[in-house]
Amino acid sequence: KLISVVSESVSAVEQKITAAFKVFDYDSSNKVDVREIGTIIYSLGCCPTQADIHKFIAEVEEEHSGVVFLEKFLPAMTKVLLENKFPPIPKSTILQAFKVKLDQKGYLKPEELKKLLMEEGEPFTQQEIEEMLAHTDREDNLIYYPKLINKLTSDLTQ
Amino acid sequence: MFSSLCFSAIRAALLIQRWYRQYVARLEMRRRCTWNIFQSIEYAGEQDQIKLYNFFAFLMDHFTPANWLSYFLLTVPDSYSGPHLTFPMTFCGLSKLMEAFKHKQQLHARYVLQILGETWRFLRILPNINHVSVCPTKEITICGDLHGQLEDLLLIFYKNGLPSCEKPYIFNGDFVDRGKNSLEILLILFGFLLVYPNDVHLNRGNHEDHIVNLRYGFTKEVLVKYRVHGRKILKLLQKIFSWLPLATLINDKVLVVHGGISDSTDLEAVTRIDRHRYVSVLRPPKMIRHMLNGNKAVISGNEDATGPAEGRRRVRSLTNTSNSAQRNKMPRRSLHNLPTTGNQLNCSVEDELRKRRRLAGFDQTYNEIKTSDSDSDPEFGESTETHGQEWKQVVDLLWSDPQPQNGCIPNEVRGGGCYWGPDVTEEVLGRHNLQLLIRSHECKQDGYEFCHNRRVLTIFSASNYYEVGSNRGAYIRMGPDLVPHCIQYQASSTCRELTLRQRCTRSALRALRQQLFVHKSDLIGAFQEFDPNHTGRISLHHWATATEKVLNLGLPWRVLRPQLVNRAQYGMLNYQQWIRELSITEPKPEVIMETMYKQHSNLETIFRIIDTDHSGLISFEEFRQTWKLLSSHLKMEISDKAIADLAQSMDFNKDGSIDINEFMEAFRLVDLSTHKATNNLDGGRDQWLDG
């Protein structure tokens, strides 16, 4: 496991985590619905699998109550960030991922993508695949994934 | 082989799924943050909202290149009975505008400023010389001086057709002064420019000049028609006039320019000029000026001496030097030489702001503010050789007149430009490989006149210029053969008045257009049945059949067709385009919201000013300092705690700083909530939550 060189201090990291947490803490009671944990983790720059998220939740959730308290979330998440446990995926890797099953064409048909993402890995729901396909301009019914990658990354310039 | 492929597929799928789910989550986070900020502002109490709003308004007013943006602070009252415009301008808006002007209505100052603002933004990207091509399917129309005579412009439109993609126009300057509808003419021309930017071309005339306007009536017209906002309008017009292109070239063969040429005319040199530095062509170009003694500034006669106080303050603070080599001859004044007497606080604020602007790498644009608000000062400017020559080029283009005899002498009658002879025409046209010079500037009895061996054509479009019956007006039609055809007219009271019957028909037609628009999807469906090859075009015969089928009104569509379809080439209609032009837009309450988004680049500028360390983020500290600085201007007592609260409420991701997206989001939201009464709030929220 790589320990990444963290340029921020621990307290800065904790501040960031607390802030992200508080976004979903609607009544300022220092707790959030467990279903928001995934979103919070992603928003802090991490890119875990669903399995990773479930494992994390298991460690921090309050006894199947459906909530997570900040006092448990904070140390666990700080560790994740300092250890860079779920590093973000570089664009080049994603590009490779799109290319791997197909013959490097630069585009693929929606059915191909659908098959891949709904049958393998941690399958997409119908809603997820439809949303993703909605991002592509499908005039010729082909998905130009380099374009798609660019679009989704630039949508979030922060 | 098979197993490694399978592994790759799983791995690929996992990667893509993770990556996409992260995207979705981050988007969700941002939406949630936006929602939170909205709520917190909404509940933050009236006072805070107003303060934030004022803060931004002040910033917009004073930091952005043109304070015309304050138009958004103008609300159009319910009592206003004139036309309402939406932006971006559409053909429909233009129709409304012309209709209103025909009926002697006045456009609300807000819309005037908006049109002018958009025009200014557009003109800035144009080159000094427009290049236009005439092709077999589109002839070009060239109009000369209009001088505020709206009836002549409308007559030209009536006879020749409105400007459009199929009907390009060049207007060769002198739109204002003397006539009583100069502003209306400008608004119509600018409107067409905005709607058909590739097909409408404006050249600057010698009357597009605020000094000249002072004497010949345009300034007065504006101030009388707009008592409250007239000055602001005039200030903005100054900028616009300075940004008007100087000439137009048709097919690289025909030069269209308002005044004319001289023996030193060099179009290459003209393209390199910073034309906007010539706010008034009668004075030498603006130069960077010294700041003499803190507040004291040099004010030349070129300035509108009765400008608003803030504008004047800006004029005074001039110590920047630009990057252009020509100007770097002025010694830089130390920013720490502040005066100790009088308005010390104001002065240090002003200096601080100036310093920040400079640090923001904002020099170039700031120069524009200065140079377009301030005026040339011959005493202190350095007139280098280059500047003098450049200036002469511009003056000659706008002020010269042809003379029958050879040679080139100064035009002492006008006080600017030259009298140039046929030999000069030959030489200049030859040197530039041109075949014809079209110019205006002089009233001609027949509306047009050839001279210099038919190598120079004067075109003048203001009929009855001196008095009723004094002269005709004319315009030029020109096809790809570049042979000018002159069409004459004379405006008279009888042809201007619409008969009652005509007016009724027009209302009916308007209602009919509305009906067509309401049924547009059915119409398109019906049209497409006649267009199996998806060419986008159908015959007029099919148009009539389809339209009747959809609307079922039993109307004689073939008879009405000329009133409803104004562009059909070779009997075929581009129906998508036609439907688009039918569109009637109603002013939305979200107009202000959209306006905010359009100010993106200006807001970015403000952001950069505040972000003194160029980190891309505003820290609370920077926010606080800037706020303190400005609160003296706003004459508001605001505690540090209140500033902190405001800053916190703008910090979306709660990381202790405000990034530019948050900054603009906050701006938009403040505007949303401040205009709650006029907005359908729920509709508004849903819109941007999805988006």
Side-chain angles (χ1 to χ4, degrees):
Chain A
K1 233 182 271 183
L2 277 160
I3 310 283
S4 63
V5 178
V6 177
S7 53
E8 310 165 289
S9 66
V10 174
S11 69
V13 169
E14 286 182 344
Q15 263 185 33
K16 234 166 74 164
I17 296 171
T18 310
F21 186 92
K22 286 213 190 292
V23 172
F24 293 95
D25 175 19
Y26 304 128
D27 51 10
S28 303
S29 54
N30 282 336
K31 65 179 193 299
V32 303
D33 188 319
V34 69
R35 287 166 295 185
E36 313 277 28
I37 293 293
T39 307
I40 299 175
I41 297 178
Y42 280 124
S43 77
L44 289 165
C46 304
C47 212
T49 62
Q50 305 287 67
D52 292 329
I53 295 176
H54 290 142
K55 198 159 160 234
F56 183 89
I57 287 175
E59 287 166 23
V60 298
E61 190 188 1
E62 279 307 300
E63 294 293 333
H64 306 289
S65 59
V67 298
V68 173
F69 282 106
L70 179 60
E71 40 188 34
K72 268 204 181 159
F73 181 77
L74 186 57
M77 193 65 215
T78 307
K79 189 157 180 269
V80 162
L81 284 184
L82 292 177
E83 291 176 6
N84 201 16
K85 244 179 133 175
F86 311 124
I89 306 173
K91 264 204 228 179
S92 49
T93 311
I94 281 295
L95 192 61
Q96 285 303 111
F98 272 98
K99 281 181 183 172
V100 79
K101 205 189 176 206
L102 319 134
D103 43 299
Q104 319 266 336
K105 277 178 293 196
Y107 59 84
L108 30 79
K109 304 202 188 89
E111 311 85 66
E112 291 176 306
L113 191 62
K114 241 183 169 172
K115 189 168 195 289
L116 176 68
L117 296 178
M118 291 184 79
E119 288 180 16
E120 311 281 5
E122 293 172 333
F124 267 3
T125 62
Q126 185 67 29
Q127 191 189 11
E128 281 177 307
I129 191 69
E130 276 171 16
E131 272 175 8
M132 184 192 230
L133 291 177
H135 282 288
T136 62
D137 50 356
R138 314 244 304 275
E139 342 168 289
D140 47 1
N141 212 29
L142 294 173
I143 301 164
Y144 293 89
Y145 48 83
K147 223 174 151 189
L148 175 64
I149 294 170
N150 262 331
K151 180 171 194 294
L152 296 194
T153 359
S154 68
D155 272 355
L156 292 171
T157 39
Q158 265 211 357
Chain B
M1 194 61 166
F2 179 75
S3 57
S4 72
L5 264 177
C6 274
F7 177 75
S8 291
I10 294 171
R11 192 160 159 259
L14 263 176
L15 277 169
I16 296 173
Q17 287 151 352
R18 273 166 66 197
W19 166 77
Y20 183 72
R21 281 165 175 154
Q22 189 200 33
Y23 165 76
V24 170
R26 292 176 73 184
L27 210 57
E28 173 58 30
M29 176 58 111
R30 191 201 271 189
R31 282 179 196 155
R32 179 49 56 182
C33 288
T34 309
W35 180 262
N36 287 356
I37 168 70
F38 180 79
Q39 291 205 310
S40 72
I41 285 190
E42 190 182 19
Y43 300 130
E46 195 90 42
Q47 279 291 68
D48 284 345
Q49 286 178 54
I50 289 176
K51 279 176 187 157
L52 202 54
Y53 188 85
N54 286 341
F55 172 57
F56 281 113
F58 180 85
L59 283 181
M60 294 285 271
D61 262 347
H62 290 81
F63 283 80
T64 50
N67 60 5
W68 58 268
L69 289 167
S70 54
Y71 74 72
F72 74 80
L73 295 171
L74 290 177
T75 45
V76 180
D78 289 343
S79 52
Y80 169 69
S81 57
H84 288 273
L85 299 177
T86 58
F87 289 81
M89 282 283 280
T90 59
F91 175 79
C92 191
L94 284 174
S95 305
K96 276 199 260 189
L97 198 61
M98 288 190 289
E99 211 47 43
F101 289 159
K102 277 179 202 165
H103 293 103
K104 318 250 182 274
Q105 290 177 325
Q106 186 163 300
L107 187 65
H108 193 276
R110 185 219 160 91
Y111 297 129
V112 174
L113 289 167
Q114 245 174 311
I115 292 181
L116 295 183
E118 292 301 312
T119 303
W120 173 70
R121 284 169 74 143
F122 174 70
L123 288 175
R124 290 171 73 192
I125 61 179
L126 292 181
N128 293 343
I129 301 180
N130 291 316
H131 282 261
V132 172
S133 313
V134 187
C135 61
T137 49
K138 355 197 250 196
E139 288 197 324
I140 194 160
T141 308
I142 303 157
C143 297
D145 295 31
L146 287 165
H147 282 300
Q149 296 187 192
L150 183 59
E151 45 282 359
D152 283 304
L153 180 63
L154 296 177
L155 188 49
I156 295 173
F157 285 166
Y158 178 78
K159 281 174 79 83
N160 192 52
L162 294 170
S164 69
C165 297
E166 260 83 64
K167 197 155 292 210
Y169 270 78
I170 300 173
F171 293 94
N172 200 16
D174 276 16
F175 320 120
V176 303
D177 279 336
R178 294 205 174 96
K180 57 182 173 60
N181 293 110
S182 298
L183 190 56
E184 284 74 26
I185 287 191
L186 280 185
L187 293 171
I188 292 174
L189 292 183
F190 293 156
F192 273 102
L193 182 69
L194 293 172
V195 176
Y196 301 104
N198 297 318
D199 301 285
V200 173
H201 309 276
L202 305 180
N203 288 343
R204 188 177 186 182
N206 64 310
H207 276 260
E208 274 67 68
D209 184 326
H210 68 288
I211 305 275
V212 179
N213 299 150
L214 278 169
R215 207 181 138 196
Y216 289 99
F218 179 47
T219 309
K220 186 171 168 199
E221 183 191 317
V222 174
L223 292 176
V224 166
K225 286 179 178 170
Y226 293 91
R227 290 183 191 280
V228 177
H229 300 287
R231 290 195 197 292
K232 207 180 292 186
I233 293 173
L234 288 170
K235 261 297 184 220
L236 187 44
L237 280 167
Q238 269 187 48
K239 294 197 222 303
I240 289 176
F241 287 164
S242 74
W243 276 107
L244 284 169
L246 299 171
T248 301
L249 262 178
I250 306 176
N251 287 16
D252 285 327
K253 282 283 169 208
V254 177
L255 178 63
V256 184
V257 71
H258 176 75
I261 54 175
S262 75
D263 53 359
S264 52
T265 293
D266 176 2
L267 294 182
E268 266 297 293
V270 171
T271 51
R272 290 194 297 267
I273 294 173
D274 281 335
R275 68 179 187 274
H276 66 98
R277 286 169 57 228
Y278 299 86
V279 177
S280 166
V281 171
L282 289 173
R283 299 296 173 92
K286 299 158 299 190
M287 304 292 290
I288 314 304
R289 295 177 347 199
H290 283 299
M291 184 167 100
L292 291 186
N293 248 344
N295 276 340
K296 259 217 304 220
V298 185
I299 297 172
S300 78
N302 223 345
E303 184 183 57
D304 178 4
T306 47
E310 293 97 306
R312 201 115 48 104
R313 221 179 352 241
R314 221 184 317 153
V315 166
R316 286 179 192 143
S317 52
L318 303 169
T319 51
N320 289 355
T321 57
S322 78
N323 293 327
S324 95
Q326 287 170 325
R327 299 182 212 173
N328 259 340
K329 308 212 170 124
M330 308 291 178
R332 205 185 272 231
R333 204 87 196 159
S334 164
L335 284 171
H336 297 295
N337 285 350
L338 299 177
T340 50
T341 58
N343 256 334
Q344 183 164 0
L345 178 61
N346 272 342
C347 203
S348 53
V349 164
E350 197 51 33
D351 287 332
E352 260 305 298
L353 295 175
R354 210 183 329 116
K355 183 160 72 172
R356 283 172 187 243
R357 278 187 212 121
R358 212 158 39 88
L359 288 171
F362 205 40
D363 294 305
Q364 220 42 52
T365 321
Y366 185 41
N367 273 342
E368 276 173 30
I369 305 171
K370 283 196 323 244
T371 48
S372 40
D373 279 343
S374 68
D375 308 279
S376 60
D377 187 349
E379 275 185 73
F380 289 88
E382 272 187 24
S383 305
T384 62
E385 186 63 31
T386 347
H387 284 133
Q389 281 174 359
E390 229 185 57
W391 182 33
K392 186 179 190 298
Q393 292 282 342
V394 179
V395 178
D396 287 345
L397 289 176
L398 265 44
W399 281 86
S400 301
D401 291 313
Q403 65 175 10
Q405 56 273 64
N406 281 339
C408 191
I409 55 172
N411 189 330
E412 252 125 33
V413 173
R414 298 227 197 224
C418 295
Y419 281 121
W420 87 89
D423 57 333
V424 177
T425 299
E426 284 312 311
E427 194 276 315
V428 172
L429 290 185
R431 180 158 34 93
H432 292 96
N433 207 7
L434 304 169
Q435 69 191 48
L436 176 65
L437 169 63
I438 297 178
R439 44 89 65 175
S440 305
H441 199 37
E442 289 181 295
C443 179
K444 298 292 177 192
Q445 188 155 29
D446 289 321
Y448 73 96
E449 189 177 272
F450 282 100
C451 70
H452 292 192
N453 237 349
R454 292 183 78 86
R455 296 274 266 170
V456 175
L457 171 56
T458 302
I459 186 75
F460 195 85
S461 302
S463 66
N464 306 322
Y465 184 56
Y466 298 119
E467 60 186 6
V468 177
S470 66
N471 64 291
R472 287 190 164 118
Y475 58 89
I476 300 170
R477 291 277 302 207
M478 183 180 275
D481 57 2
L482 303 182
V483 174
H485 301 275
C486 300
I487 295 105
Q488 298 165 302
Y489 56 86
Q490 196 152 11
S492 67
S493 43
T494 50
C495 75
R496 262 177 284 140
E497 226 55 271
L498 292 169
T499 63
L500 181 64
R501 192 195 148 111
Q502 279 174 316
R503 271 184 263 139
C504 286
T505 315
R506 288 150 62 82
S507 310
L509 279 172
R510 204 177 309 134
L512 191 54
R513 272 191 214 103
Q514 276 179 347
Q515 273 303 296
L516 287 166
F517 179 71
V518 160
H519 289 92
K520 65 175 178 178
S521 23
D522 291 338
L523 281 169
I524 292 186
F527 294 149
Q528 280 170 341
E529 280 178 50
F530 286 112
D531 182 23
N533 296 328
H534 305 291
T535 63
R537 296 181 137 71
I538 51 169
S539 72
L540 293 172
H541 167 77
H542 286 152
W543 169 84
T545 311
T547 307
E548 174 52 26
K549 187 167 152 221
V550 171
L551 285 191
N552 219 357
L553 290 172
L555 287 175
W557 294 102
R558 280 164 197 75
V559 174
L560 290 169
R561 199 260 313 154
Q563 314 272 27
L564 296 169
V565 178
N566 67 351
R567 9 159 144 181
Q569 264 181 359
Y570 313 113
M572 299 294 280
L573 167 71
N574 178 337
Y575 52 87
Q576 297 278 10
Q577 199 175 41
W578 176 71
I579 293 273
R580 271 202 298 275
E581 285 181 355
L582 282 177
S583 66
I584 297 155
T585 48
E586 296 294 18
K588 296 188 278 265
E590 297 93 67
V591 160
I592 291 168
M593 218 164 74
E594 287 164 15
T595 311
M596 288 301 109
Y597 266 124
K598 274 190 253 154
Q599 306 318 322
H600 183 282
S601 58
N602 291 306
L603 294 179
E604 266 196 58
T605 304
I606 296 171
F607 180 91
R608 276 165 62 207
I609 291 168
I610 299 180
D611 176 22
T612 48
D613 63 6
H614 305 288
S615 56
L617 304 166
I618 307 175
S619 69
F620 285 165
E621 195 42 45
E622 285 170 321
F623 184 84
R624 194 188 70 83
Q625 280 174 7
T626 312
W627 186 257
K628 281 251 135 163
L629 217 50
L630 293 168
S631 60
S632 63
H633 270 292
L634 299 172
K635 299 193 192 342
M636 275 191 236
E637 272 314 300
I638 176 161
S639 65
D640 277 350
K641 175 166 187 328
I643 295 177
D645 285 346
L646 272 172
Q648 296 247 2
S649 69
M650 284 167 62
D651 176 20
F652 284 70
N653 57 8
K654 304 289 176 253
D655 62 353
S657 57
I658 306 165
D659 78 33
I660 185 168
N661 294 315
E662 292 173 338
F663 185 88
M664 296 200 310
E665 205 54 44
F667 197 132
R668 192 173 70 94
L669 292 167
V670 169
D671 209 72
L672 247 187
S673 55
T674 322
H675 289 82
K676 227 151 106 158
T678 53
N679 273 346
N680 174 3
L681 248 195
D682 287 338
R685 276 182 197 165
D686 288 342
Q687 254 178 358
W688 49 258
L689 269 187
D690 288 339

